[in-house]
Amino acid sequence: MTTDTTAPAAAGPAVTTRSSLRGSRPVTLLAMCLGAMITFLQITATVSALTTIQRDLRVDPTTVIWIPSAYTLVVASVVLSAATLGNRYGRRRMFGAGVVAMIIGGAVVAGAPTVAWVIAGQLVAGLGGALILPNSLAILGATFTDPHRRTEVITAWSAASGIGLAVGPLIAGALLRHHPWHSVYLSTIVLGVITLVVTAVGVAESRPDAGRLDLPGLLLGTVAIAAAVYAMIQGGRDGYTSPVVVTTWVVSAAALVAFVLVELRTSAPMLDVRLLRSPSFSAVMVVAAVSLFGFTGVAILLVLFHERAQGLSPLDTGWRMLVLFGTYALVAFAAGRTIRRTGFKAPLTLGLVLGAVASFGLAAQGPTTTFAHRWALFVLFGAASALVVAPATAAALASVAPAQAGMASGAVNAARQVGSVLGSSLLGTLLTTTMLADLPDRLAAHQVGEPTRSAVRTAVAAGATGDQPLPDPVRSAIAEAMTSGVQAGLRVNGIVFLVTAVLALTLIRNRPHQH
């Protein structure tokens, strides 16, 4: 079966494609799902290895946040431009380039001798993720032109990302039992090679008649997002009123204003900002950001809680996280057919409310709570996330004409990745600051003397306690302080989810817009 990437008649340029007799819809779906798996496998594999990386390289807690955030920083900054490059030079070509970048980034981290090299590898991998995500979605949108079938395919694509999230902790945990943390990133390389082979065998090129490249919009959009994301991350470390952070916010705001003005005047915009006049489309962008804010942020909080507050191994942590991620994948697969009957509003609102309930429930538990008392909340949060992440992506693409699929996929992925950066950086920073603020009182409660109390706090702030045997009172105090930080992050996530649920209920259009 040849890939049909010719869009129905719609406002905007017609979609054309480089002919490829090898193109097949099932193989195309498989390749795009594998690409989605790689991008999310990189996230959870990194999170699972964070404790080991921090201990081995003696990284302070504030710098540790940059290890996962470096990846999402580049993805969020470049993903909108990557969609434009796919429209201009070929989506299949840019998708393949993204997979190659993921492989190179994984190889750099796998051989990294210092934390600087780890972050550098994550930056390269982030470029790959940025190229993969919007172009894989746009390829699926152009290949599967029936609106209902497209929704099912996109939810399958989202479910594949859940599989990547689920296997990341397991692969990392298994490898960390017998090998150094560098080996964790070999999984990215292997899966990347497989994806390249499948893409070469059965994916046809897809390229709309995009006209000239919107270079000013591309540069201004990248600067606006990159500056904002950098300010979010660095603000958690240096303070949001520090001169560098304030200057970065000003740069971001100026670039954003210039971007909007340029896009309104150009005949072939990278992002038609008029789409944001639709309250439904704008609300979908917010929901997409919040979905990854919670999904990524809560995943990081729970992994750190298991490994540092409860002292579990990465593999034991991986099995517990599989409950959350596995539920996400299963529910996401079913979400496509559910949307056909209910529309978008019900699953998005319900998912956000249930995610808030699960967050508040997890926040009420302490370091001695067994998994037998928590697994149901893991299932609930995984199912809730699947009801939000997959339908939000489908709702964004259903809100635009098929010719604008690349533009919409870039916009929704940019929103998702900005949310992911916010989740990992803000919730991670909240965890660290709450933990360090709470630690002295916890140490005092366990009757740890003042000289030791100051030394422990300094060591924790510097990330230098991993190899040292700690007395039981000190270890208990650290676990309790860590739990306080995790609980603070979970409560914030619950509040954000509830507020967004109101937005989804009141603004999002329930059915796909008919073009």
Side-chain angles (χ1 to χ4, degrees), residues 193-469:
V193 171
I194 294 173
T195 304
L196 285 178
V197 172
V198 175
T199 301
V201 168
V203 179
E205 183 60 278
S206 167
R207 184 190 341 185
D209 184 14
R212 65 181 181 83
L213 182 64
D214 178 20
L215 187 59
L218 187 150
L219 294 176
L220 288 170
T222 300
V223 170
I225 297 176
V229 171
Y230 178 85
M232 293 173 197
I233 299 172
Q234 197 64 21
R237 178 176 181 175
D238 298 339
Y240 291 99
T241 58
S242 69
V244 172
V245 173
V246 171
T247 301
T248 307
W249 278 121
V250 171
V251 171
S252 176
L256 179 61
V257 171
F259 173 79
V260 172
L261 294 176
V262 167
E263 297 305 278
L264 286 173
R265 295 180 180 180
T266 185
S267 59
M270 181 176 74
L271 173 65
D272 187 354
V273 294
R274 296 174 184 86
L275 290 174
L276 297 176
R277 291 176 179 173
S278 164
S280 179
F281 186 80
S282 298
V284 168
M285 295 298 103
V286 174
V287 171
V290 168
S291 68
L292 264 289
F293 173 91
F295 201 40
T296 304
V298 169
I300 291 176
L301 293 176
L302 293 177
V303 168
L304 295 177
F305 171 78
H306 286 133
E307 293 186 0
R308 299 186 187 181
Q310 295 196 320
L312 299 179
S313 70
L315 184 58
D316 289 336
T317 299
W319 284 115
R320 284 159 175 77
M321 296 302 295
L322 180 62
V323 175
L324 190 158
F325 295 136
T327 302
Y328 168 86
L330 292 175
V331 176
F333 270 119
R337 294 189 180 276
T338 301
I339 293 170
R340 295 182 65 168
R341 295 191 296 270
T342 67
F344 294 115
K345 189 186 295 286
L348 290 174
T349 304
L350 179 62
L352 289 164
V353 172
L354 293 179
V357 171
S359 296
F360 289 132
L362 289 167
Q365 300 180 2
T368 59
T369 306
T370 64
F371 189 66
H373 292 88
R374 291 201 317 276
W375 69 267
L377 292 171
F378 279 52
V379 170
L380 182 61
F381 190 80
S385 297
L387 290 174
V388 179
V389 177
T393 304
L397 267 69
S399 300
V400 302
Q404 295 173 307
M407 184 184 298
S409 67
V412 71
N413 273 300
R416 282 156 52 101
Q417 295 307 318
V418 168
S420 181
V421 171
L422 282 169
S424 61
S425 59
L426 296 188
L427 295 185
T429 300
L430 180 61
L431 182 155
T432 300
T433 54
T434 303
M435 176 186 176
L436 292 176
D438 193 54
L439 185 56
D441 291 340
R442 299 289 180 176
L443 291 168
H446 285 275
Q447 299 180 342
V448 177
E450 175 50 43
T452 303
R453 197 183 311 169
S454 299
V456 169
R457 192 180 189 282
T458 301
V460 170
T465 61
D467 295 326
Q468 302 174 14

Side-chain angles (χ1 to χ4, degrees), residues 8-340:
V15 178
T16 60
T17 162
R18 288 183 177 178
S19 60
S20 174
L21 297 178
R22 298 172 300 169
S24 110
R25 288 184 176 181
V27 176
T28 297
L29 177 59
L30 174 61
M32 299 306 103
C33 287
L34 287 173
M37 284 179 60
I38 298 174
T39 61
F40 286 89
L41 172 67
Q42 183 80 8
I43 294 173
T44 51
T46 297
V47 171
S48 299
L50 270 183
T51 299
T52 307
I53 294 173
Q54 181 181 17
R55 183 173 59 245
D56 185 43
L57 300 180
R58 296 187 177 276
V59 186
D60 65 90
T62 52
T63 302
V64 163
I65 298 299
W66 269 104
I67 296 176
S69 296
Y71 175 78
T72 48
L73 167 65
V74 178
V75 175
S77 303
V78 183
V79 70
L80 193 59
S81 303
T84 301
L85 293 174
N87 292 342
R88 174 72 178 179
Y89 299 109
R91 294 161 175 166
R92 177 179 179 266
R93 177 180 295 174
M94 291 297 102
F95 175 84
V99 176
V100 171
M102 289 290 300
I103 294 172
I104 295 173
V108 171
V109 180
T114 65
V115 68
W117 279 101
V118 173
I119 293 175
Q122 288 285 82
L123 292 172
V124 175
L127 176 61
L131 290 168
I132 289 171
L133 288 170
N135 287 298
S136 60
L137 261 181
I139 288 171
L140 291 177
T143 303
F144 298 89
T145 55
D146 176 73
H148 294 303
R149 178 60 176 154
R150 183 192 300 172
T151 296
E152 294 175 0
V153 166
I154 291 171
T155 52
W157 177 90
S158 295
S161 68
I163 296 174
L165 290 167
V167 301
L170 293 177
I171 293 174
L175 290 172
L176 289 171
R177 265 193 164 185
H178 306 289
H179 305 284
W181 59 264
H182 304 78
S183 63
V184 169
Y185 294 90
L186 297 178
S187 56
T188 299
I189 299 173
V190 173
L191 188 58
V193 171
I194 294 173
T195 304
L196 285 178
V197 172
V198 175
T199 301
V201 168
V203 179
E205 183 60 278
S206 167
R207 184 190 341 185
D209 184 14
R212 65 181 181 83
L213 182 64
D214 178 20
L215 187 59
L218 187 150
L219 294 176
L220 288 170
T222 300
V223 170
I225 297 176
V229 171
Y230 178 85
M232 293 173 197
I233 299 172
Q234 197 64 21
R237 178 176 181 175
D238 298 339
Y240 291 99
T241 58
S242 69
V244 172
V245 173
V246 171
T247 301
T248 307
W249 278 121
V250 171
V251 171
S252 176
L256 179 61
V257 171
F259 173 79
V260 172
L261 294 176
V262 167
E263 297 305 278
L264 286 173
R265 295 180 180 180
T266 185
S267 59
M270 181 176 74
L271 173 65
D272 187 354
V273 294
R274 296 174 184 86
L275 290 174
L276 297 176
R277 291 176 179 173
S278 164
S280 179
F281 186 80
S282 298
V284 168
M285 295 298 103
V286 174
V287 171
V290 168
S291 68
L292 264 289
F293 173 91
F295 201 40
T296 304
V298 169
I300 291 176
L301 293 176
L302 293 177
V303 168
L304 295 177
F305 171 78
H306 286 133
E307 293 186 0
R308 299 186 187 181
Q310 295 196 320
L312 299 179
S313 70
L315 184 58
D316 289 336
T317 299
W319 284 115
R320 284 159 175 77
M321 296 302 295
L322 180 62
V323 175
L324 190 158
F325 295 136
T327 302
Y328 168 86
L330 292 175
V331 176
F333 270 119
R337 294 189 180 276
T338 301
I339 293 170
R340 295 182 65 168

